[in-house]
Amino acid sequence: GEDVEQSLFLSVREGDSSVINCTYTDSSSTYLYWYKQEPGAGLQLLTYIFSNMDMKQDQRLTVLLNKKDKHLSLRIADTQTGDSAIYFCAESKGAGSYQLTFGKGTKLSVIP
Amino acid sequence: DADVTQTPRNRITKTGKRIMLECSQTKGHDRMYWYRQDPGLGLRLIYYSFDVKDINKGEISDGYSVSRQAQAKFSLSLESAIPNQTALYFCATSAGGGETQYFGPGTRLLVL
């Protein structure tokens, strides 16, 4: 199976919260990332979390990590139209590792 | 100015042509990477370099070659382009193993 899985689409109304989910298979993953890709643009690092953390909050973004279930989520509070983008989950094996393994991306559409 | 730049941003070429995509960074990072992005497939690693004298194949290196001309420059070549190399290509850099990767804006390549 895939190393990192995400649902492909999510649609929310402006002002609501968005929750984008990701599952991974490698229990040795030590860093987990969320990247944002706006149309026609590159990947912008949104946030990351170390595997020894359960939660990380940064303004409107909340990352939750359930290491037992290998489940990562990104919650965007008060979703705005500018949040419309593709969101990629990625895992890294940690120190000494070179490779990020990406999910296929979740396309978030925000309805005004 | 952007920390990671890619040239050209868009390129159209014909089957069999040799082309080069270039990446420059001002972040002072040792590690550089080339990925390709295809719709619905996420990002896949083509080549990576830990320093000027170290080049390694990634997941999908066939049909590609790279050159690390300096710490700040990493170029990707398609020796004989084919239509299934039509994709969005990203360069990325990181300070070291397990460190966050920072991406360029991407080069959109169309092979006719």
Side-chain angles (χ1 to χ4, degrees):
Chain A
E2 295 291 333
D3 291 319
V4 180
E5 291 192 356
Q6 304 176 238
S7 54
L8 294 182
F9 301 99
L10 176 65
S11 182
V12 300
R13 292 204 174 275
E14 188 174 16
D16 289 349
S17 292
S18 308
V19 180
I20 303 171
N21 294 300
C22 171
T23 58
Y24 59 99
T25 57
D26 192 335
S27 59
S28 67
S29 295
T30 56
Y31 299 78
L32 294 135
Y33 301 86
W34 285 105
Y35 284 86
K36 176 183 180 183
Q37 184 181 30
E38 297 181 14
L43 274 70
Q44 171 195 354
L45 177 67
L46 279 181
T47 187
Y48 64 92
I49 188 169
F50 296 122
S51 59
N52 62 357
M53 298 170 64
D54 297 324
M55 185 181 84
K56 182 177 180 180
Q57 187 153 4
D58 182 3
Q59 298 182 329
R60 291 191 298 121
L61 304 179
T62 303
V63 178
L64 296 178
L65 175 61
N66 182 328
K67 196 172 181 181
K68 173 177 172 289
D69 294 337
K70 300 186 184 69
H71 182 266
L72 181 74
S73 67
L74 174 69
R75 179 177 180 270
I76 305 173
D78 186 25
T79 311
Q80 303 297 307
T81 55
D83 295 323
S84 293
I86 300 176
Y87 291 80
F88 290 93
C89 169
E91 62 171 355
S92 169
K93 301 299 188 288
S97 171
Y98 62 89
Q99 188 169 353
L100 286 182
T101 302
F102 286 84
K104 295 180 180 180
T106 299
K107 184 174 183 179
L108 174 64
S109 298
V110 181
I111 304 165
Chain B
D1 289 339
D3 294 321
V4 185
T5 57
Q6 293 183 233
T7 55
R9 293 293 314 277
N10 295 279
R11 178 75 184 268
I12 300 173
T13 191
K14 294 182 178 180
T15 298
K17 294 291 187 182
R18 182 182 187 276
I19 66 161
M20 180 183 291
L21 311 182
E22 299 188 354
C23 176
S24 294
Q25 53 115 345
T26 58
K27 298 187 77 67
H29 288 168
D30 286 327
R31 297 191 175 201
M32 298 186 74
Y33 310 80
W34 275 105
Y35 292 88
R36 72 176 271 177
Q37 182 184 26
D38 298 278
L41 290 181
L43 276 77
R44 293 179 292 168
L45 183 65
I46 305 172
Y47 269 95
Y48 61 100
S49 170
F50 286 174
D51 63 39
V52 174
K53 296 181 180 178
D54 183 87
I55 304 288
N56 303 279
K57 292 182 178 180
E59 181 187 351
I60 51 162
S61 59
D62 287 349
Y64 301 95
S65 62
V66 291
S67 173
R68 185 81 184 266
Q69 300 95 324
Q71 188 208 31
K73 296 185 182 296
F74 192 35
S75 59
L76 175 72
S77 294
L78 286 69
E79 297 301 326
S80 179
I82 56 176
N84 77 0
Q85 292 178 312
T86 292
L88 186 54
Y89 290 84
F90 287 105
C91 174
T93 74
S94 70
E99 296 287 338
T100 300
Q101 293 186 21
Y102 296 89
F103 286 78
T107 294
R108 192 171 296 277
L109 175 66
L110 173 61
V111 182
L112 300 175

